[in-house]
Amino acid sequence: ISIFLKFETTSNTLTLLFYYLALYQDEQEALRREIDCVRQYDLIKPNYEQLNRLKHMHAFINEVLRLNPVGAL
């Protein structure tokens, strides 16, 4: 049963992230610019160091989780 709970929280969080990205297109564009800047337009998969430089992305995810906390039953 814990596998299903983990799936639900992950899917709900991703759904909320995509919802807020669609709702706030200015944020979507800011995040796209940040990703492009960090990746420097490389077509390779991002590495751990690049992911850690996505400060705006981390703030966006934290804000979505603050507004819509996902808790266990």
Side-chain angles (χ1 to χ4, degrees):
I1 201 162
S2 68
I3 292 173
F4 295 115
L5 292 177
K6 291 177 186 176
F7 174 77
E8 284 296 316
T9 56
T10 302
S11 64
N12 289 343
T13 301
L14 288 173
T15 300
L16 287 168
L17 286 169
F18 292 135
Y19 170 75
Y20 281 108
L21 282 174
L23 191 62
Y24 298 104
Q25 292 188 3
D26 55 330
E27 288 295 317
Q28 184 183 91
E29 188 58 37
L31 291 170
R32 182 175 306 189
R33 282 192 307 270
E34 181 183 50
I35 291 168
D36 287 343
C37 181
V38 167
R39 289 188 65 203
Q40 300 172 356
Y41 300 99
D42 288 339
L43 297 178
I44 59 173
K45 290 167 54 173
N47 60 32
Y48 185 74
E49 178 185 313
Q50 290 172 326
L51 293 176
N52 278 333
R53 291 190 308 203
L54 297 174
K55 302 300 182 194
H56 192 82
M57 177 74 74
H58 290 296
F60 183 78
I61 292 170
N62 286 335
E63 184 64 12
V64 169
L65 290 173
R66 184 188 70 81
L67 292 171
N68 305 282
V70 180
L73 296 176

